[in-house]
Amino acid sequence: MPWTYRHATKEWHAFLSDVKERLCLDSDNMAYTAVDAVFQVFRRRLTAQQGLDFASVLPSVLRAIFVNGWDVTKPPVPFSERSALIKEVQQVRVNHNLTPGNAIEATAWAIRRCTNKQDFERVLARMPTEARAFWHIDVDDPKELEQRII
């Protein structure tokens, strides 16, 4: 049995804690909405194969969130400026979305702490430059992005 299935709850809670802290949000629901919105905005710009490749390196709960409700029959849309992407994130479920402007960076930071770095980078390397830039995060100390749960 894959480790991520056996420890799905532990991984999910660690990720959610990280993203909530990084977003300065109070509730799991607000953090979930932000992450789901970031995923929707990103996957709209991918082919189905690229999206499945990306999802395959995520922990099981994040993988499920990433693919949930995805209409793969719609063609990918182009990436745009970061500010436009953030506005798009904030428009997902707008009546329930209190997502701050750092949602993409916070989600990227938390994802990098819960995924295998080599697998994550391998998948991103096969994607367009804009997809790699979407998940790029600058940190002073690379150790803060080390995988938390192994």
Side-chain angles (χ1 to χ4, degrees), residues 30-109:
M30 288 187 280
Y32 165 81
T33 296
V35 169
D36 183 42
V38 168
F39 279 171
Q40 287 184 45
V41 168
F42 180 66
R43 76 181 188 208
R44 286 186 67 224
R45 288 151 174 85
L46 304 179
T47 65
Q49 187 61 59
Q50 289 170 326
L52 291 173
D53 290 345
F54 179 81
S56 75
V57 297
L58 297 175
S60 59
V61 174
L62 291 175
R63 187 179 312 155
I65 294 168
F66 186 82
V67 300
N68 184 53
W70 186 10
D71 182 353
V72 297
T73 64
K74 293 184 178 180
V77 299
F79 280 90
S80 49
E81 295 292 321
R82 180 67 104 193
S83 59
L85 294 170
I86 291 167
K87 285 180 184 173
E88 188 178 334
V89 166
Q90 292 171 326
Q91 291 302 307
V92 173
R93 286 192 310 276
V94 71
N95 295 327
H96 303 282
N97 191 333
L98 302 172
T99 301
N102 69 331
I104 295 171
E105 289 81 7
T107 303
W109 185 86

Side-chain angles (χ1 to χ4, degrees), residues 3 7 14 26 63 76-77 84 87 90 102 107 123 125 136 143 145:
W3 194 94
H7 301 282
D26 295 326
R63 187 179 312 155
V77 299
K87 285 180 184 173
Q90 292 171 326
N102 69 331
T107 303
V123 167
H136 178 78
K143 288 183 181 179
L145 296 180

Side-chain angles (χ1 to χ4, degrees), residues 17-37:
S17 174
D18 276 351
V19 83
K20 265 189 347 189
E21 178 183 327
R22 207 70 177 178
L23 290 170
C24 298
L25 293 173
D26 295 326
S27 80
D28 291 352
N29 289 344
M30 288 187 280
Y32 165 81
T33 296
V35 169
D36 183 42

